[in-house]
Amino acid sequence: MARKPSLKEVDFRDLGFGTRISSSTSRLINPDGTFNVRKTGGGIGAIHPFQILIAMPWWKFWLSILIAYVVINSAFALVYLAVGIQNLSHGPGPGAEWVDKFAHGFYFSVQTITTLGYGTISPENHTTSLISSFEAMLGLMAFSLGTGVLYGRFARPSAKIRFSQYALIAPYEKESGLMVRIVNRRSNQLIELSAQVFFVIYEKRGKKTQQRFYRLPLERNQITLFPLNWTIVHPIDKASPMHGKTKADLIAANAEFLVIIKGYDDTFAQTVHARYSYKCEDLIWGAKFEPMYYTDEDGMTVVEIDKIDDWTEKPLEK
């Protein structure tokens, strides 16, 4: 007769972080959902500009576009200066300042690369005509690629799920429970939402410290619709890996809680994901979440997203 596996053997998971990460690591997943991992030695071939431009924040994207725009036009302005700014019509005279000559070449470059062409500046010999022809071709390619990247950023599905800043240890069914609250910041429809919560600790095994992953059973791990908020609850009963552990125990084990959300975005007809991480300092013991929605006088349910972190004290039963 086959031996029935123990609870720890069933609940042990390797999420892809392995078991050799040092116990001194700050966290595995950052609060913004990114992995707390830095890769080195990948070489130039590992760099993909499209992925970088798609994934970077909007302010970095527009700043990168602006810097590239100025740098490219400045480079061509220097080329026009090198071949002779007098070869561009309506340019400054021979005694003009270098800044005026550079500005004349820069503005011509802008008109050429954007194919705008006011007609006030034009090349007057074969050399500048050849350079401007190459720049015009480069401009068409650059704007085509830029348009594709811009569309990709708008069309890329992403879950704007907001997680509560803190995870609570609250009274739950005569015992206690780990509680995390999430809400959809957007008005789009997310359906078939599922949640997984992993408990990560570092345990001493002989002279070595080993990383252990436990998948925490949830009160419910899936909801069909997500119009309001969802409080994800792990009951801390006798079967829970957290049972009997105090705040000091979790700090000593450098505990971390990884929350992974998956849902179907009805707008993009694609599956989206969201991740979050809580460390010991992000836990509040003996508290419960305050309601964050109400029904107004017109019978409409109002969700107050900015109240997702509101909580009140609720002593744990001894």
Side-chain angles (χ1 to χ4, degrees):
M1 186 174 180
R3 181 180 64 88
K4 185 178 179 180
S6 68
L7 174 65
K8 286 191 175 183
E9 289 174 324
V10 172
D11 286 347
F12 177 78
R13 297 290 186 274
D14 180 359
L15 295 180
F17 292 101
T19 58
R20 297 180 179 273
I21 294 180
S22 170
S23 59
S24 61
T25 184
S26 58
R27 63 201 315 150
L28 299 178
I29 295 180
N30 298 315
D32 62 357
T34 59
F35 298 120
N36 190 31
V37 176
R38 183 177 67 250
K39 296 182 179 180
T40 62
I44 298 177
I47 300 175
H48 198 299
F50 181 80
Q51 291 181 345
I52 295 174
L53 291 172
I54 284 287
M56 68 172 51
W58 276 105
W59 71 269
K60 287 186 178 181
F61 174 76
W62 289 117
L63 181 62
S64 300
I65 294 297
L66 179 61
I67 291 175
Y69 184 75
V70 172
V71 168
I72 291 173
N73 284 295
S74 297
F76 275 102
L78 293 174
V79 173
Y80 292 126
L81 280 174
V83 299
I85 200 67
Q86 67 277 5
N87 295 316
L88 297 178
S89 63
H90 301 91
E97 296 289 336
W98 183 88
V99 174
D100 295 329
K101 294 180 179 180
F102 175 82
H104 190 69
F106 183 87
Y107 294 140
F108 174 70
S109 175
V110 169
Q111 295 179 34
T112 302
I113 203 168
T114 59
T115 68
L116 187 61
Y118 289 117
T120 54
I121 310 176
S122 59
E124 294 192 334
N125 68 1
H126 291 298
T127 303
T128 50
S129 294
L130 183 62
I131 296 171
S132 62
S133 298
F134 173 76
E135 184 179 7
M137 180 187 69
L138 180 66
L140 289 172
M141 295 175 62
F143 279 99
S144 297
L145 292 173
T147 302
V149 172
L150 188 61
Y151 172 78
R153 290 184 64 90
F154 276 105
R156 183 171 67 106
S158 61
K160 288 298 181 181
I161 293 177
R162 181 171 173 180
F163 293 78
S164 56
Q165 184 178 358
Y166 301 101
L168 308 185
I169 305 295
Y172 179 79
E173 294 185 354
K174 298 183 180 181
E175 294 196 34
S176 61
L178 172 72
M179 300 187 183
V180 173
R181 188 155 67 173
I182 64 173
V183 67
N184 185 11
R185 292 170 53 195
R186 292 174 173 166
S187 58
N188 63 320
Q189 299 299 319
L190 295 178
I191 60 176
E192 300 296 339
L193 219 65
S194 64
Q196 297 182 81
V197 179
F198 291 89
F199 177 45
V200 186
I201 58 175
Y202 297 83
E203 297 177 334
K204 279 282 188 181
R205 293 186 174 272
K207 295 182 179 180
K208 295 183 179 180
T209 301
Q210 187 176 14
Q211 191 178 45
R212 301 283 292 180
F213 296 86
Y214 297 92
R215 182 174 179 175
L216 299 180
L218 303 179
E219 172 196 38
R220 62 177 59 87
N221 58 12
Q222 187 172 4
I223 56 175
T224 303
L225 304 175
F226 190 39
L228 306 175
N229 64 275
W230 180 17
T231 301
I232 302 168
V233 180
H234 162 63
I236 306 178
D237 52 23
K238 293 182 179 179
S240 170
M242 293 180 61
H243 187 264
K245 286 185 167 52
T246 64
K247 185 176 181 179
D249 294 333
L250 297 182
I251 293 175
N254 193 18
E256 182 175 359
F257 299 88
L258 310 180
V259 183
I260 302 173
I261 304 296
K262 182 173 69 173
Y264 185 80
D265 190 329
D266 196 42
T267 303
F268 293 97
Q270 293 191 36
T271 301
V272 293
H273 301 82
R275 296 175 296 272
Y276 204 82
S277 166
Y278 296 93
K279 295 289 288 185
C280 299
E281 58 268 23
D282 301 322
L283 295 182
I284 298 179
W285 297 70
K288 69 172 185 177
F289 285 115
E290 285 284 293
M292 57 179 293
Y293 61 86
Y294 66 94
T295 303
D296 65 12
E297 58 186 13
D298 297 323
M300 177 74 72
T301 301
V302 180
V303 181
E304 300 177 292
I305 297 177
D306 57 342
K307 290 189 175 182
I308 188 172
D309 298 319
D310 290 1
W311 55 272
T312 56
E313 292 185 359
K314 186 70 172 179
L316 300 172
E317 297 184 7
K318 295 184 180 180

